[in-house]
Amino acid sequence: MPENISIRIDGEYVAAQEGQTILEVARAGGKYIPTLCWLAGISSVGACRLCIVEVSGVGRLLPACTTPVQDGMSVTTTSEKLTQYRRIAIEFLFSERNHVCAVCVSNNHCELQAMAQKLGVTSVRYPYAYPKLGVDVSHPRYVLDHNRCILCTRCVRVCTEVEGAHVWDVSGRGIRSMIVCDMNRPWAQASSCTNCGKCVQVCPTGALAEKGFAVDEMVKQDHNMTRLTARRGGHS
Amino acid sequence: MKKVRLATVWLDGCSGCHMSLLDIDEAILAIAKRVDVVYGPLVDAQEFPKAVDVTLIEGAVSSQDDLEKVHTIRRWSKLVVALGDCAVTGNVPSMRNSHPARKMLERIYVEGVQTNRGVPVDGVPALLRQAVPVHEVIKVDLHIPGCPPAPASIAYALGELLEGRMPDLASKVKFG
Ligand code: SF4
Ligand code: SF4
Ligand code: SF4
Ligand code: FES
């Protein structure tokens, strides 16, 4: 049995169990912490840094989705400083790739766009990189548009952990990181892909989409995936 | 009461933001009473005037002409507002930025047509290497994103500016 411990979130005492993350404890207590790469039912990787929180006595900000709770920990989830850093994280995501919401399949149904609005981002202070990136349209049903990818790795994790196919990986480092398919082949040639579409449904942006949808039309159904993992007894 | 001198400018955009500005219903009556529109596609003035209170810029900075204009605008405007995604993010005009401008022009005006092939040069300003948001060139005091921005956001922002307040658009507006 995991040990029961007590931590403070924004001043309030909450019961927690050893092994839980700050995010899990906060969510269970009805506290909202913004997230983007995190998804119920799959592992947490701490890729997007949206969920950063302040922990007293710790000099740097920590991602709530990967930081385990410790007895007596005191966590702050909302502050001027956190909002500033969360905005910066969002603005970097926009500046690193080519996001043109007005002509994107995911316009108005996109988690990145919605998070920018929620956090009050009305412009991007960093110069846009305008990288030259490809679009993989080889798969008969799905499209991967690297221009819209935020490297959250939800696709990688869902395909490996839930579908068991492990089609996706991340290649390269830093700004050159890219989502790659089956050792960097066109998607249609990925013999391991079962065409299940889970990666498409959990992708928070317009990077993975079904074919045949126009601007504004791609509405993701990630709750199906979450329900599936919950039924299989995974954490949610 | 002294009227607020308002300018509107149309750079590399589709004029949708100006349409949205005209689409603010009866709010436009109250605003019209309090402003003098001293420059823009809606009025005749040829030269950008020398004392402007608020300038709304639609469109990305895309050509040599746009570049000169935004510097002039900044010089003579108290407040500069980037109106709409093209001015705020580069948006659709910036989709050419990952490719050389010359290649794009050749693709469209040479490879893309059957007759009268050739990249136009007479009477059109040279394109900049990239189409960029206004704030990458000059200081912008307020961003109103949206493609186009919702009429309600424009009406609210203008209403606040006319009252001498800086509108807080956080969470009220979105890209796209
Ligand atoms: S993926 Fe989201 S943020 Fe990016 S262009 Fe599409 S709608 Fe906009
Ligand atoms: S469709 Fe299914 S198997 Fe294929 S890459 Fe996506 S998650 Fe993996
Ligand atoms: S393709 Fe989508 S799910 Fe995969 S890393 Fe990019 S944004 Fe995330
Ligand atoms: S949600 Fe925690 S880092 Fe992305």
Side-chain angles (χ1 to χ4, degrees), chain A residues 165-204:
Chain A
H166 198 146
V167 170
W168 302 111
D169 267 304
V170 182
S171 81
R173 298 184 72 83
I175 194 81
R176 270 186 288 277
S177 301
M178 290 278 275
I179 289 296
V180 290
C181 189
D182 248 11
M183 308 309 279
N184 211 1
R185 276 192 289 186
W187 196 349
Q189 288 168 29
S191 49
S192 54
C193 176
T194 63
N195 309 323
C196 72
K198 289 187 177 67
C199 54
V200 175
Q201 298 307 332
V202 301
C203 173

Side-chain angles (χ1 to χ4, degrees), chain A residues 27-178:
Chain A
R27 294 251 164 155
K31 263 240 167 269
Y32 173 76
I33 298 175
T35 55
L36 209 46
C37 67
W38 177 86
L39 187 71
I42 55 174
S43 60
S44 300
V45 289
C48 74
R49 303 278 143 174
L50 255 291
C51 68
I52 44 167
V53 291
E54 296 173 32
V55 176
S56 12
V58 180
R60 59 206 169 85
L61 304 174
L62 297 173
C65 70
T66 53
T67 307
V69 288
Q70 280 171 4
D71 199 19
M73 198 178 223
S74 176
V75 179
T76 305
T77 66
T78 346
S79 70
E80 198 44 47
K81 179 178 169 189
L82 287 170
T83 306
Q84 264 314 314
Y85 278 99
R86 286 170 183 157
R87 282 187 185 150
I88 288 172
I90 287 282
E91 290 176 45
F92 272 132
L93 292 177
F94 275 106
S95 71
E96 282 165 4
R97 297 280 168 114
N98 302 308
H99 291 273
V100 188
C101 300
V103 295
C104 179
V105 277
S106 286
N107 189 24
N108 294 325
H109 312 289
C110 169
E111 292 185 42
L112 175 62
Q113 182 187 41
M115 189 57 79
Q117 176 171 20
K118 184 170 226 156
L119 295 175
V121 174
T122 60
S123 68
V124 173
R125 71 196 89 173
Y126 310 105
Y128 290 92
Y130 304 118
K132 191 174 176 179
L133 297 167
V135 181
D136 184 342
V137 293
S138 65
H139 193 283
R141 283 163 54 195
Y142 312 126
V143 191
L144 167 60
D145 183 350
H146 292 284
N147 293 285
R148 313 282 196 250
C149 175
I150 59 171
L151 295 168
C152 70
T153 73
R154 279 191 192 179
C155 55
V156 178
R157 288 173 283 148
V158 82
C159 185
T160 305
E161 298 168 17
V162 183
E163 183 59 10
H166 198 146
V167 170
W168 302 111
D169 267 304
V170 182
S171 81
R173 298 184 72 83
I175 194 81
R176 270 186 288 277
S177 301
M178 290 278 275

